[in-house]
Amino acid sequence: MGTRAGGRRTGPKCIAIVGPFASGKTTLLEAILARTGAIPRQNPVSSGNTVSDHSSEARAHAMSVEATFATTEFMGEQFTFVDCPGSIEFAFEAEPVLAACDVAVVVAEADEKKIPALQLIMRKLDDLGVPRILFLNKVDKAIAGVRETLKMLQPASSAPLLLRQIPLRKDGVVIGSIDLALERAYVYREYAESQVAEIPDDDKARELEARFSMLETLADHDDQLMEQLLEEIEPPKDAIFDDLAADLRAGTVTPVLIGTAEKGNGVLRLLKTIRHDAPDVEATRKRLSVPDGSQTVVQVMKTIHTAHGGKLSVSRVLSGQLADAAELFLSNGDTTKVSGVYKMLGKDQLKLPSAMAGDTVALGKLDNVRTGQTLSSAKGGIKPLFTLEPPQPVFAFALRPKERKDEVKMSAAIQRLAEEDPSLNLHHNQDSAETVLSGHGEMHLRVVRERLEGKNQIPIEGHSPAVPYRETIRKSVQQRGRHKKQSGGHGQFGDVVIEIKPLPRGSGFQFTDTITGGVVPKTYIQSVETGIRDYLKTGPLGFPVVDVAVNLSDGSYHAVDSSDMAFQMAAKLAMKEGMAACSPVLLEPIMKVEIVTPSDATSKIIALIPQRRGQILGYDARPDWPGWDVVEATMPQAEIGDLIIELRSATAGVASYKAGFDHMAELTGRLADEAMNANGKAA
């Protein structure tokens, strides 16, 4: 015993700070930076003057909306902390960060409502194989005991939550902590290092019980420790610390430290745990399967466009060394050249001559590099270490600049925003001629719009995207269309008889001809089909026509005056007159929707689906997700636009959904009238 961890891991470390919304992540980062001397004092989040609050959007909404990097030193070692947003709408920011970091500090509190959000975060850490420490924040305000809180939080974690500290109380108020490994008490001092003290006699029994529980959990992975506990032999402290480090690095336990970040309490013990127990870049290389060799390997974690310094690619150097002006290869073999290496502290950068393995730095002007990409000094590049896959968007709006002169400027600005946030999706809807921006919630896109209007000075108009309604027919007709025009010289003549019939839903459009005797020459039959297809782009109700069959059965022509255009016009005329008599009906797209929700909110979700004209197909437990359900339903696309707002409202911000086209269904009555009126206004 005492050799499982292989000693302390030295060198630069990268630590992600994650946790549910409003759990205190930014406050903890401020406390860490103040304690390590990176900033002169700890600023409260309410002041809007924290390292993470460098964007106007973060200040306006009192929440982190992007990952913020801050590098500091502690006891002679370099740590880069990354404050990741807590809201599910900005959670994608954390993925490229977590992929390249060594350890995550999960900030949580004794709030049962936040357990589903905590579970989402813990699952992501499991998926990426990232070791984690849980910092139980706001311990001074908790009503329940710490061990009761851990029982409440345990369902969110696949690994056992291992309590390393218990609160030290006086007259019911938390005044410090007792370290179960050191068997030492620490009395908190606001914004200062805690004072070491003896464990009070009244707390010794409680400390022994909690310590034995910690050792029992460690013994699950250490046979020698198990034997010592069974034989009631006191294990050596260095062996206990070795087990704590080994199990953290292996991810078999999640150590739990306590404190109050707002007052700087518990921060020093957290920093020491990171320094002594956390893995380093060597473990991260193994996790990401970085190829052996001496080449430089760099993983891009975040893209930032600064007002004056241009584009910065915040990156982790996983192996080798990186100097300014170094040439690197992308995985596709393209090359890029570093133009500046910078140390990050929020929005501020300090230029460095070079970076070594383990460093997290910003690299200047890598114009062809995107977040999540892998760079290497190996000629031709190496295989990507990580695949960045944004989740399906759940909210969208159509946007356009208020002034046409800003169209090019807006397009360039959105391109930069999409580089900074790869979860944004931009596409042009040809049917509605709309530019549609989609993302992960109403707040997500609100921040994007604020950046367009604020940072880029582009006034924007936005509205819900148009629903792709279609129309079809209910009955068949036969219709003649004749186009005849004489204006001196060659005239225009085309004459067709067509049969229009409805087709089963989903059949699309079919064109046939049963012409005999050459009454319509073959050279003009194609012209007839072209005219019909052109008409079907906008039917009598104002929408594209689907599920219709048209047969050209008869007609006539003129040897001199007939032409391609004349038969196109005759076909359009026949369609216009015939379609109006075919009982046209509006069709709306129906989507198949799969909603994931905490089980305690399932009844609310089931209740709201019929309110949106949805039909419940069923619900069941979410596989391998205790405490979660999956609800399946069909729902008109017109009702899905703001669905995510209601889902999140009903589930403390954690529900989400996936949707895909299922079928088209007839829409009649008031809703059909409203759709046609809106389309007429839009036209």
Side-chain angles (χ1 to χ4, degrees):
M1 209 165 73
T3 59
R4 291 180 60 220
R8 183 168 66 83
R9 299 291 186 259
T10 60
K13 290 187 174 76
C14 182
I15 305 101
I17 302 177
V18 296
F21 172 68
S23 56
K25 300 177 294 300
T26 300
T27 302
L28 178 61
L29 177 59
E30 283 287 306
I32 288 170
L33 296 178
R35 184 57 52 85
T36 57
I39 58 175
R41 65 182 181 278
Q42 180 177 344
N43 294 306
V45 171
S46 58
S47 71
N49 194 33
T50 62
V51 170
S52 283
D53 286 338
H54 62 268
S55 73
S56 59
E57 297 82 20
R59 291 191 296 272
H61 301 296
M63 62 188 295
S64 297
V65 298
E66 60 184 328
T68 304
F69 296 75
T71 299
T72 186
E73 289 190 3
F74 176 69
M75 297 181 70
E77 294 186 21
Q78 181 175 287
F79 295 161
T80 297
F81 291 92
V82 191
D83 180 14
C84 299
S87 167
I88 191 173
E89 298 194 20
F90 302 96
F92 187 73
E93 279 277 316
E95 292 209 20
V97 172
L98 292 171
C101 74
D102 301 319
V103 67
V105 173
V106 182
V107 184
E109 57 185 304
D111 187 345
E112 191 171 13
K113 293 179 182 178
K114 293 184 178 181
I115 291 178
L118 180 62
Q119 189 176 6
L120 290 174
I121 292 163
M122 292 295 210
R123 280 293 180 133
K124 181 54 66 177
L125 295 173
D126 285 343
D127 291 344
L128 296 172
V130 179
R132 77 294 312 252
I133 300 165
L134 192 142
F135 183 77
L136 189 58
N137 194 22
K138 307 176 187 178
V139 70
D140 58 330
K141 298 177 182 177
I143 298 174
V146 169
R147 281 184 284 180
E148 288 75 17
T149 298
L150 256 60
K151 288 179 183 177
M152 179 180 72
L153 299 180
Q154 183 61 64
S157 175
S158 60
L161 298 178
L162 180 73
L163 190 62
R164 284 198 56 171
Q165 298 170 311
I166 58 174
L168 181 64
R169 290 185 170 89
K170 184 177 181 180
D171 299 329
V173 177
V174 175
I175 63 166
S177 66
I178 299 173
D179 190 294
L180 301 177
L182 288 170
E183 294 190 284
R184 191 180 297 163
Y186 294 88
V187 178
Y188 292 148
R189 294 187 295 176
E190 198 163 313
Y191 307 119
E193 186 175 342
S194 299
Q195 183 177 349
V196 180
E198 293 294 323
I199 299 173
D201 292 339
D202 293 345
D203 291 302
K204 284 184 178 178
R206 187 167 62 94
E207 184 270 337
L208 287 172
E209 181 185 355
R211 186 172 190 271
F212 186 78
S213 177
M214 178 189 75
L215 295 176
E216 276 189 315
T217 302
L218 292 175
D220 289 340
H221 307 284
D222 188 331
D223 293 339
Q224 189 173 348
L225 176 57
M226 179 65 78
E227 291 176 10
Q228 290 175 331
L229 294 181
L230 291 173
E231 296 173 10
E232 298 184 356
I233 298 172
E234 177 64 24
K237 280 190 172 61
D238 64 343
I240 294 172
F241 280 112
D242 184 70
D243 278 346
L244 286 167
D247 289 349
L248 164 62
R249 294 171 193 173
T252 51
V253 301
T254 299
V256 179
L257 304 175
I258 65 173
T260 300
E262 190 176 19
K263 299 176 181 177
N265 296 335
V267 171
L268 186 60
R269 301 314 309 166
L270 172 63
L271 285 167
K272 287 189 174 181
T273 299
I274 293 169
R275 182 175 186 267
H276 292 284
D277 298 351
D280 64 353
V281 71
E282 182 181 352
T284 303
R285 280 199 295 267
K286 291 179 181 177
R287 173 165 57 83
L288 293 174
S289 301
V290 174
D292 293 333
S294 59
Q295 73 264 29
T296 299
V297 177
V298 176
Q299 185 68 23
V300 182
M301 307 165 79
K302 172 73 178 170
T303 300
I304 302 171
H305 285 275
T306 64
H308 305 293
K311 179 179 174 181
L312 294 176
S313 300
V314 186
S315 308
R316 184 87 193 279
V317 182
L318 296 173
S319 67
Q321 289 189 333
L322 183 65
D324 193 3
E327 184 180 56
L328 296 173
F329 292 85
L330 282 71
S331 296
N332 63 3
D334 290 347
T335 60
T336 189
K337 191 173 183 179
V338 176
S339 180
V341 179
Y342 304 92
K343 173 182 173 181
M344 299 287 291
L345 183 62
K347 66 178 182 297
D348 299 321
Q349 301 102 38
L350 174 66
K351 191 161 187 180
L352 303 172
S354 62
M356 60 180 283
D359 283 342
T360 304
V361 291
L363 306 178
K365 299 180 181 178
L366 303 183
D367 293 333
N368 57 338
V369 172
R370 302 290 179 265
T371 299
Q373 289 185 322
T374 303
L375 312 177
S376 171
S377 61
K379 191 170 183 179
I382 63 171
K383 182 180 177 182
L385 301 177
F386 172 68
T387 301
L388 198 58
E389 296 181 354
Q392 185 185 77
V394 294
F395 193 78
F397 68 75
L399 75 166
R400 63 186 177 195
K402 289 184 178 179
E403 299 185 27
R404 291 184 67 96
K405 66 180 179 65
D406 287 333
E407 286 182 353
V408 174
K409 185 178 176 183
M410 185 188 78
S411 178
I414 291 176
Q415 185 176 350
R416 290 193 297 270
L417 291 175
E419 280 193 54
E420 294 182 334
D421 181 0
S423 68
L424 285 175
N425 184 283
L426 184 73
H427 74 277
H428 183 74
N429 187 324
Q430 292 186 340
D431 284 346
S432 61
E434 292 176 331
T435 298
V436 179
L437 189 68
S438 52
H440 304 300
E442 187 269 341
M443 180 61 73
H444 184 205
L445 295 192
R446 185 191 300 181
V447 167
V448 172
R449 182 169 179 173
E450 289 170 356
R451 286 175 174 167
L452 284 171
E453 295 188 321
K455 183 177 179 180
N456 295 279
Q457 300 293 304
I458 306 171
I460 296 294
E461 293 179 337
H463 58 86
S464 298
V467 176
Y469 292 106
R470 296 292 184 262
E471 59 181 274
T472 191
I473 55 175
R474 288 174 170 166
K475 66 179 186 179
S476 304
V477 300
Q478 185 179 76
Q479 182 67 46
R480 178 180 291 275
R482 175 175 289 183
H483 176 69
K484 184 177 181 181
K485 191 173 183 182
Q486 192 71 40
S487 57
H490 284 306
Q492 297 180 35
F493 182 84
D495 177 34
V496 299
V497 177
I498 60 174
E499 299 162 344
I500 309 172
K501 297 179 180 179
L503 289 176
R505 196 76 67 240
S507 300
F509 168 66
Q510 294 178 8
F511 175 78
T512 56
D513 78 271
T514 53
I515 295 296
T516 59
V519 293
V520 176
K522 288 185 178 181
T523 54
Y524 296 138
I525 292 176
Q526 181 64 48
S527 305
V528 173
E529 182 180 355
T530 300
I532 291 169
R533 288 185 178 275
D534 194 43
Y535 171 82
L536 292 177
K537 293 176 183 177
T538 307
L541 304 182
F543 297 92
V545 181
V546 295
D547 304 336
V548 169
V550 179
N551 179 63
L552 173 63
S553 60
D554 201 359
S556 61
Y557 74 103
H558 189 279
V560 176
D561 292 344
S562 288
S563 65
D564 171 74
M565 185 56 66
F567 272 95
Q568 286 191 40
M569 296 298 293
K572 289 181 184 178
L573 182 61
M575 288 297 294
K576 182 177 180 181
E577 295 177 356
M579 283 289 294
C582 288
S583 296
V585 62
L586 196 64
L587 297 176
E588 68 171 339
I590 306 297
M591 312 297 281
K592 176 80 173 290
V593 182
E594 184 181 274
I595 301 168
V596 291
T597 173
S599 301
D600 59 7
T602 300
S603 59
K604 296 179 185 177
I605 303 304
I606 289 174
L608 71 84
I609 289 172
Q611 297 170 13
R612 291 176 173 266
R613 299 191 287 130
Q615 181 178 354
I616 298 166
L617 302 178
Y619 69 95
D620 205 347
R622 189 179 185 185
D624 300 321
W625 278 74
W628 285 71
D629 288 335
V630 179
V631 180
E632 293 186 345
T634 55
M635 187 178 294
Q637 184 175 337
E639 301 288 345
I640 289 180
D642 61 350
L643 173 65
I644 193 63
I645 297 175
E646 198 165 0
L647 292 179
R648 298 253 166 91
S649 176
T651 60
V654 296
S656 194
Y657 74 86
K658 293 181 181 178
F661 175 76
D662 193 73
H663 65 279
M664 301 295 287
E666 289 189 11
L667 180 65
T668 59
R670 177 181 57 84
L671 293 175
D673 293 339
E674 289 177 358
M676 287 185 285
N677 289 337
N679 187 58
K681 291 175 183 176

